[in-house]
Amino acid sequence: MFRRAAVLGASCTLLLLTACGNGSDSDHGDGGEGWKPPVGTAQAEQVARRTALTPQQWGKDFQRRNGNYEYDLSEISMGRPDEDCRWQQDPDPSTDLVGWVRNVEAPGSGPSGSIISEADSMVLVHERQSTARLQLPDMRAALDQCRTWYYGDALRYDDIHMDNAGIDGVDEILAWSATSSQTAQGQKAPRGPWPVSEIMARKGPVVLHARITADPDAYSAQALRIRAARAMQTMVAHLTGEE
């Protein structure tokens, strides 16, 4: 059994997933020839940490996000948009997974040191494959439900639409783009809209997620889609031991 561990509070507002299944299957199955999913907590933790991306794996312009780089997500509160397209967290966190997230950022070249891009990668290793299989269909339903998502009062996604993403070596893939806008927070001025690209994939009982957003003056929406796809392909390679 996977252990229960408290979430330390990552910047996973954008990474709230949408399923918490109750399946009890023991199928560790459809991950592809030669690959075996992790078994047990220790192996799952090792795989999650190995697969989540470091700054260098996003690109030479990225660094650790200041004060908020990586977190254990072994107990995560799921979520879904309500009828008004506002994301709501499930009060009962999932207890059948091991997870890890890493957050990175790219500073601008000017003297102000402002951040021009943010990215994160998340790995969730489920004890039951039946639970993992629910996540992408439920996220697809959330994408179909709303063209705008509201994350509290601080963040909004607009113009949400699905993309095509050709990622080798996975069982399921889902990609989408949007524009993200932030309201004023404390001393920070409002920000946006920035293009954002996200990809979610499943391989056996493991769910992967990569997200990148950036100042449109620094990165185009197409450039972000390419970076997100490369990031996901790198995660798959690390997951399967091909890198």
Side-chain angles (χ1 to χ4, degrees):
M1 292 292 290
F2 289 163
R3 64 180 172 79
R4 296 187 62 175
V7 173
L8 301 181
S11 62
C12 280
T13 308
L14 304 181
L15 302 180
L16 293 174
L17 303 180
T18 58
C20 187
N22 295 314
S24 58
D25 62 67
S26 58
D27 176 14
H28 291 290
D30 53 1
E33 185 176 353
W35 179 76
K36 294 185 182 300
V39 178
T41 301
Q43 197 175 101
E45 289 178 339
Q46 181 182 39
V47 166
R49 293 191 187 209
R50 181 184 74 212
T51 304
L53 300 181
T54 64
Q56 293 75 22
Q57 290 163 344
W58 281 100
K60 63 181 181 180
D61 41 347
F62 283 86
Q63 62 186 25
R64 295 185 178 202
R65 190 172 301 173
N66 187 25
N68 190 22
Y69 173 53
E70 59 184 353
Y71 291 94
D72 178 0
L73 294 178
S74 296
E75 183 176 286
I76 185 171
S77 292
M78 306 297 179
R80 65 179 67 248
D82 63 17
E83 60 183 12
D84 296 321
C85 298
R86 294 186 175 276
W87 276 83
Q88 305 292 328
Q89 284 186 271
D90 189 327
D92 298 318
S94 177
T95 60
D96 81 328
L97 58 82
V98 167
W100 201 255
V101 64
R102 288 198 179 107
N103 305 298
V104 302
E105 59 190 16
S109 57
S112 66
S114 60
I115 301 303
I116 60 172
S117 181
E118 297 176 343
D120 32 65
S121 57
M122 182 172 67
V123 184
L124 298 176
V125 184
H126 290 266
E127 184 180 13
R128 300 177 181 88
Q129 188 167 205
S130 58
T131 308
R133 282 175 170 164
L134 293 172
Q135 290 192 206
L136 270 72
D138 275 4
M139 181 59 81
R140 186 175 288 107
L143 291 165
D144 289 338
Q145 176 183 341
C146 301
R147 290 295 173 264
T148 297
W149 289 344
Y150 300 92
Y151 296 94
D153 296 325
L155 182 69
R156 186 181 75 245
Y157 268 25
D158 293 302
D159 188 28
I160 301 168
H161 57 277
M162 292 190 193
D163 294 328
N164 294 320
I167 305 296
D168 295 329
V170 297
D171 301 319
E172 296 180 84
I173 188 76
L174 182 63
W176 64 97
S177 295
T179 57
S180 66
S181 301
Q182 288 185 345
T183 60
Q185 301 179 55
Q187 301 299 317
K188 294 184 179 180
R191 188 199 76 186
W194 281 15
V196 58
S197 181
E198 304 197 34
I199 300 180
M200 182 182 289
R202 181 183 67 83
K203 187 170 183 65
V206 182
V207 175
L208 310 173
H209 188 285
R211 178 192 73 98
I212 183 168
T213 185
D215 185 332
D217 292 334
Y219 300 91
S220 68
Q222 177 63 15
L224 295 185
R225 285 192 289 271
I226 292 171
R227 287 218 179 198
R230 287 176 178 169
M232 180 56 69
Q233 198 67 71
T234 299
M235 292 177 76
V236 173
H238 280 271
L239 172 65
T240 59
E242 294 178 9
E243 265 191 18

